[in-house]
């Protein structure tokens, strides 16, 4: 009996410790409530990028130029109607400068929380429209669109800040 109690306690401590270390906590941008990732589309939940993000809160796609064509396509389809083709803002806020309606969006974790769970106004949750992996690719594109001061870009590493070049659109702000 004593061994069973000890084993049960050890398992409980192990599970609690593992869950605390396994994932970042994600919260709704406006309500502050915990986000429920079970609502996410099934596809795109188990990519290496998603696993890394859920463990660290960092979007690895932001440093991978190879994903930018797909990321741009996803952004243009899902986001540009409100935020503009170049992130300049339309009926939704601009996404290409250093002003954030929700300051937490300066981090990958914060921007993911806003995309996944939605915000105020017309910014509804996107978990039914984009996979978790696609959301990370959209974040990478939004980071790519940045034209602000690199010193104010929380998501840039020191090396990226040193080599930063502002986004230059290939086409007009249609």
């Amino acid at each position: 009996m004593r061994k069973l109690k000890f084993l049960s306690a050890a398992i409980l401590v192990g599970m609690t410790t593992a869950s605390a270390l396994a994932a970042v906590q994600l919260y709704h941008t406006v309500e502050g409530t915990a986000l429920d990732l079970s609502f996410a589309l099934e596809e795109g939940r188990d990519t290496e990028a998603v696993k890394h993000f859920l463990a660290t809160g960092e979007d690895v796609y932001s440093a991978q130029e190879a994903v930018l064509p797909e990321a741009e396509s996803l952004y243009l389809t899902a986001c540009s109607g409100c935020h503009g083709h170049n992130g300049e803002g339309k009926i939704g806020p601009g996404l290409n400068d250093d002003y954030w309606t929700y300051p937490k969006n300066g981090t990958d974790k914060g921007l993911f929380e806003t995309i996944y769970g939605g915000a105020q106004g017309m910014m509804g949750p996107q978990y039914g429209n984009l996979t978790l992996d696609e959301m990370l690719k959209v974040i990478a594109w939004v980071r790519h669109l940045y034209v602000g001061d690199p010193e104010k870009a929380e998501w840039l590493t020191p090396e990226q800040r040193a080599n930063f070049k502002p986004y230059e659109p290939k086409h007009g702000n249609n």
Side-chain angles (χ1 to χ4, degrees):
M1 183 70 155
R2 184 176 259 177
K3 287 182 183 180
L4 182 58
K5 284 183 182 179
F6 177 78
L7 182 59
S8 296
I11 290 171
L12 180 61
V13 168
M15 287 173 42
T16 303
T17 304
S19 66
L21 296 174
V24 296
Q25 296 296 310
L26 300 170
Y27 298 96
H28 191 276
T29 296
V30 177
E31 299 167 2
T33 55
L35 291 176
D36 184 350
L37 295 182
S38 72
F39 294 127
L41 297 171
E42 289 293 325
E43 183 183 343
R45 285 184 180 199
D46 62 350
T47 66
E48 289 304 314
V50 170
K51 290 175 187 174
H52 179 82
F53 175 78
L54 293 176
T56 66
E58 297 172 356
D59 182 359
V60 296
Y61 288 141
S62 293
Q64 297 178 13
E65 286 194 35
V67 303
L68 292 179
E70 180 185 358
E72 178 183 25
S73 178
L74 289 164
Y75 174 87
L76 291 173
T77 302
C79 312
S80 67
C82 295
H83 297 287
H85 288 89
N86 298 310
E88 72 278 10
K90 288 186 176 183
I91 62 172
L95 302 174
N96 65 355
D97 57 19
D98 54 34
Y99 173 78
W100 294 101
T101 303
Y102 304 102
K104 74 179 197 166
N105 290 351
T107 67
D108 293 340
K109 176 184 175 286
L111 189 53
F112 178 89
E113 290 168 329
T114 300
I115 294 169
Y116 183 86
Q120 293 189 30
M122 296 185 66
M123 179 64 195
Q126 297 300 303
Y127 56 74
N129 300 321
L130 298 167
T131 69
L132 298 179
D133 195 65
E134 289 172 335
M135 289 180 203
L136 295 176
K137 289 174 181 171
V138 165
I139 291 169
W141 184 254
V142 169
R143 300 311 191 203
H144 177 72
L145 292 174
Y146 189 66
V147 296
D149 179 353
E151 293 303 317
K152 294 181 180 180
E154 295 178 51
W155 62 90
L156 292 175
T157 65
E159 181 183 345
Q160 289 169 325
R161 276 191 190 93
N163 298 316
F164 178 76
K165 291 186 177 111
Y167 177 72
E168 293 184 29
K170 297 177 206 124
H171 45 76
N173 290 340
N174 309 359

